[in-house]
Amino acid sequence: MTKSAFQKKIWDYYKAYGRHDLAWRKTKDPYKILVSEIMLQQTQVSRVIPKYEAFLKAFPTLNDLAKASQSEALSLWQGLGYNRRGLNLWRSAQVIQNDLGGVFPSTSEALDALPGIGPYTACAVVTFWKNKPLVFIETNIRTVYLVSFFDSIKGNVKDSEILEYVSKTVDKENPREWYYALMDYGVMLKVTQKEKNTKSAHYRKQKPFKGSQREIRSGVLKILLQKKGITFSDLEKRIPFSKEKIRLVAEALAKEGFIKKEGHTLSLIQ
């Protein structure tokens, strides 16, 4: 497929069916864009919309988030899952406000240096903020290129190979809208054509939430957001998993900076 034919296909779909009303697509505020990008990782748009609105109502500016306690930020994050993302967002606000004088990093390299941001989010934020034609990939974009340019290949396609096509086909005049269009087209492929990124060398089938460590982590944090402190024995009575699994999760949460241990008592870091 030629570059012009590919671009026309994507633009035509976007003009007809694009999700133009999403709140984060209407803002040029880098903080609000960052919030949306972190929330959207591994989470459906329908779940993000109410959380995005509630989060920004509570913390309308980066300074507001930086002044909030860790527990306040995490309490607003509940329901999105992957609480580490919420913690890293709060930590990034701390770094920007306290170490960078409140000046939001303007390059992808500087953003990538923030806690847990990573190259995709860094490039996406700068592109959507400044309309710069940076090259990046996420799950929906990956789907579009696998279907459009790797149809005859059985599998093991690396992101580095896909990024070559992303670079060659990016619309340099309007990269912001172009990436929105790619994402929306990728969502359509997944919904209507049941496309999955199984050809990708990086594809991993997500394990069910029920019975997973993620469920235990979520349960521990939910309890600690409701109680200032709880003993291991009380925690074990309230979560239907083995003592060994709960203690392993608690140890991991403590190492990651979510909770602190004082003797046998656990509490959320404020």
Side-chain angles (χ1 to χ4, degrees):
M1 184 183 300
T2 65
K3 174 182 176 180
S4 59
F6 175 69
Q7 287 185 333
K8 184 179 186 304
K9 178 178 68 174
I10 302 301
W11 279 127
D12 285 350
Y13 178 84
Y14 183 65
K15 288 172 184 175
Y17 305 106
R19 297 173 295 179
H20 305 282
D21 59 339
L22 294 175
W24 49 86
R25 293 187 176 183
K26 298 178 181 179
T27 184
K28 303 294 173 60
D29 183 332
Y31 163 66
K32 293 178 180 178
I33 295 170
L34 177 63
V35 171
S36 70
E37 284 301 319
I38 293 179
M39 285 188 170
L40 286 163
Q41 293 171 12
Q42 298 176 290
T43 308
Q44 294 178 338
V45 167
S46 59
R47 289 178 58 202
V48 169
I49 291 173
K51 284 294 181 179
Y52 176 79
E53 292 172 351
F55 196 87
L56 289 181
K57 184 177 181 180
F59 313 118
T61 68
L62 185 139
N63 184 43
D64 291 318
L65 179 56
K67 289 191 297 185
S69 69
Q70 178 176 308
S71 60
E72 287 173 329
L74 287 177
S75 67
L76 265 294
W77 198 269
Q78 288 299 291
L80 278 174
Y82 299 97
N83 288 282
R84 190 184 290 108
R85 295 177 301 161
L87 179 59
N88 284 329
L89 176 59
W90 178 80
R91 284 174 172 170
S92 293
Q94 298 286 312
V95 171
I96 295 171
Q97 196 63 35
N98 300 326
D99 299 344
L100 304 180
V103 179
F104 200 94
S106 60
T107 67
S108 59
E109 292 80 9
L111 274 168
D112 193 9
L114 294 175
I117 297 300
Y120 158 71
T121 300
C123 288
V125 169
V126 173
T127 295
F128 297 142
W129 172 24
K130 294 179 173 290
N131 204 26
K132 285 190 173 183
L134 302 184
V135 177
F136 58 88
I137 189 173
E138 52 82 68
T139 181
N140 294 311
I141 294 173
R142 184 181 292 111
T143 300
V144 174
Y145 283 87
L146 285 171
V147 169
S148 301
F149 297 101
F150 296 89
D151 188 53
S152 61
I153 297 177
K154 292 183 177 180
N156 204 35
V157 180
K158 297 179 181 178
D159 278 356
S160 58
E161 298 175 79
I162 297 174
L163 284 169
E164 290 182 19
Y165 284 89
V166 177
S167 178
K168 292 175 183 177
T169 57
V170 65
D171 188 315
K172 295 183 179 179
E173 305 221 345
N174 193 359
R176 178 190 293 117
E177 294 289 326
W178 170 248
Y179 278 110
Y180 290 154
L182 283 173
M183 291 174 179
D184 288 356
Y185 193 79
V187 169
M188 179 276 292
L189 289 174
K190 287 182 174 181
V191 173
T192 65
Q193 299 184 30
K194 307 299 181 184
E195 290 289 347
K196 294 183 179 180
N197 289 325
T198 53
K199 289 184 180 182
S200 170
H202 313 281
Y203 176 78
R204 299 291 183 274
K205 186 176 181 179
Q206 188 175 21
K207 295 180 180 179
F209 177 75
K210 192 69 177 174
S212 68
Q213 274 205 343
R214 288 190 294 126
E215 185 181 10
I216 304 174
R217 288 170 64 94
S218 177
V220 171
L221 288 175
K222 187 175 182 179
I223 290 170
L224 290 177
L225 282 167
Q226 297 168 347
K227 294 178 67 71
K228 290 186 177 180
I230 190 170
T231 64
F232 267 115
S233 59
D234 285 339
L235 187 64
E236 289 162 355
K237 292 175 184 177
R238 298 180 62 173
I239 298 179
F241 288 90
S242 69
K243 293 181 180 181
E244 181 182 357
K245 286 185 177 180
I246 294 171
R247 287 177 182 267
L248 285 173
V249 165
E251 293 285 350
L253 288 171
K255 287 181 181 179
E256 292 169 26
F258 281 99
I259 65 178
K260 60 181 177 181
K261 296 189 303 177
E262 295 176 335
H264 294 286
T265 302
L266 302 174
S267 59
L268 200 67
I269 293 177
Q270 299 298 312

